[in-house]
Amino acid sequence: MSVKNYSFFGAVERSFNKAAKFTKWDKGILEQIKECNAVYQMRFPVKKDDGTIEVIEAYRVQHSHHKTPCKGGIRFAAEVNQDEVMALAALMTYKCAIVNVPFGGGKGGIKINPRAYSAYELEKITRRYTAELIKKNFIGPGTDVPAPDYGTGEREMAWIVDTYTAMHPGEIDAAACVTGKPVTQGGVRGRREATGLGVFFGLREVCNMPDVMAKLGLTTGVEGKQVIVQGLGNVGYHSAKFFQDAGAKIVALAEYEGAIWSADGLNVDEVFNHRKSTGSILNFPGAKNFDKSTDALEMECDILIPAALENVIDGDNAPRIKAKMIGEAANGPLTPEADEVFAKKGILVVPDMYLNAGGVTVSYFEWLKNLSHVRYGRLEKRFTENLNTHILGQMESLTGKKVDKHEREFIMHGPDEVDLVYSGLEETMITATREIMDCWKNNADIPDMRTAAYVVAINKVGNSYAELGIFP
Ligand code: NAD
């Protein structure tokens, strides 16, 4: 039985300290990188549908101002507390640094169970929260830009941008005050699935490294890999879907009400629709039920993807996990004790702080789109298509051969917004994976991939402070 005597932020600090030893920065710079720069705790009243008034507890934390704006999602959950928001904000700083997104880390949280409120009540809470952020200058295209997180999505982001715009009439860049918006409200195509797609690109890159796979006793590539996913929300659903589309087998899916398992593989969309129509993931035709959801995580598989909440794998259940590789799609799903167990067992943990950076990467693209006021691909799509048509015509007339219809469409296609977003994300995740792996390979004393990721992050933020100087 493990005893956890530190908080989530404490766990992040612990990982930071472990990695700081492998960097050249002096104590003062390391302290400055580690601490949260600003913590805003607020309380505000909301009148519920039944006429009663409830006082809501909420937070916004700006972990680092080494680059602005600050960036990070807003979480709606009953478990929200200051320590959690601080930890998540810190992870955002490191995450942005690793994927070269020029933001400081931030995070927001409202302590409510969103399922216990009507849509109208949630709208009032979200709009009031936004107004509180505006009052303290904790939101704005150049200061702090929230996004979705656990329990929030496009709908909440639309309420936020609408509230901000109403209170900043004429501010031309107002749409850039929040990301993860619906496309009709200034969002970017590809943002919804971005985190899950980033998880897939990151893990695929690791699976494509023959030396890493050989060490784990796995074959190279994603095809045929057996995958278990916890959480069928935004991140979990899309991670599972992209793995399935690439030829992996999703053998188990776990939700809070239970889990299901099938040796033949589960069809992610069918499970999703089954849950939507029956209200539960359980009793999916042909699958075995687990009433205790976490039991599914302990089944045989190649890759385990926790994509729900933090601290779900700890010193207690880690020894029973049979996966060869764990992809942290959620933030903080493993405790430091679990990390130690996996390091000893030779299980590879691909860390949250870069693996789930797809959301913030595409949020960055959305923010840039809002500031430039033009859709990606609008200027070059037709030009590229005309050029490709011309090149293809020349090739066909020189060779006397015709390219088949499918290939013709592929070659001639000029990029749409979603094509550019996907390719920007793919490039980002591949580069980050290689950078972290290289850092790890180049220093034999670095114990695990998480520590290597922290080293990369600390060096980038440290460099930024060194170049910036410290304001007197
Ligand atoms: P979400 O609300 O869309 O989905 C979370 C899912 O997990 C829900 O379906 C919920 O029912 C399920 N769940 C909750 N407790 C569970 C339990 N004990 N066992 C199994 N399932 C459980 O949230 P999300 O946006 O997918 O976020 C999930 C995680 O990914 C969080 O840790 C979040 O911080 C992280 N994350 C999200 C984004 C993003 O873009 N949304 C980006 C980076 C990281």
Side-chain angles (χ1 to χ4, degrees), residues 75 149-151 191 195 230 233-235 254-256 307-308 330-331 356:
R75 175 174 289 199
D149 190 67
Y150 185 91
R191 172 63 183 87
T195 306
Q230 181 195 40
N234 177 308
V235 179
E255 256 296 334
Y256 72 93
N331 282 309
N356 64 28

Side-chain angles (χ1 to χ4, degrees), residues 344-391:
K344 269 192 211 126
K345 283 173 83 177
I347 294 175
L348 176 66
V349 176
V350 185
D352 50 359
M353 56 189 284
Y354 101 93
L355 190 65
N356 64 28
V360 75
T361 302
V362 175
S363 275
Y364 171 47
F365 300 157
E366 180 176 334
W367 182 76
L368 292 173
K369 173 187 182 181
N370 296 149
L371 296 181
S372 65
H373 300 266
V374 64
R375 167 174 52 82
Y376 288 106
R378 178 165 175 181
L379 298 185
E380 67 267 42
K381 181 175 167 67
R382 180 65 50 157
F383 178 85
T384 308
E385 283 181 357
N386 288 343
L387 184 65
N388 290 351
T389 308
H390 186 77
I391 294 171

Side-chain angles (χ1 to χ4, degrees), residues 308-367:
L309 278 177
E310 58 265 21
N311 296 335
V312 290
I313 303 175
D314 56 18
D316 290 338
N317 59 354
R320 299 192 296 272
I321 301 279
K322 298 178 193 69
K324 313 246 175 15
M325 211 171 133
I326 298 175
E328 290 188 309
N331 282 309
L334 271 53
T335 64
E337 288 88 356
D339 263 354
E340 277 163 29
V341 172
F342 294 138
K344 269 192 211 126
K345 283 173 83 177
I347 294 175
L348 176 66
V349 176
V350 185
D352 50 359
M353 56 189 284
Y354 101 93
L355 190 65
N356 64 28
V360 75
T361 302
V362 175
S363 275
Y364 171 47
F365 300 157
E366 180 176 334
W367 182 76

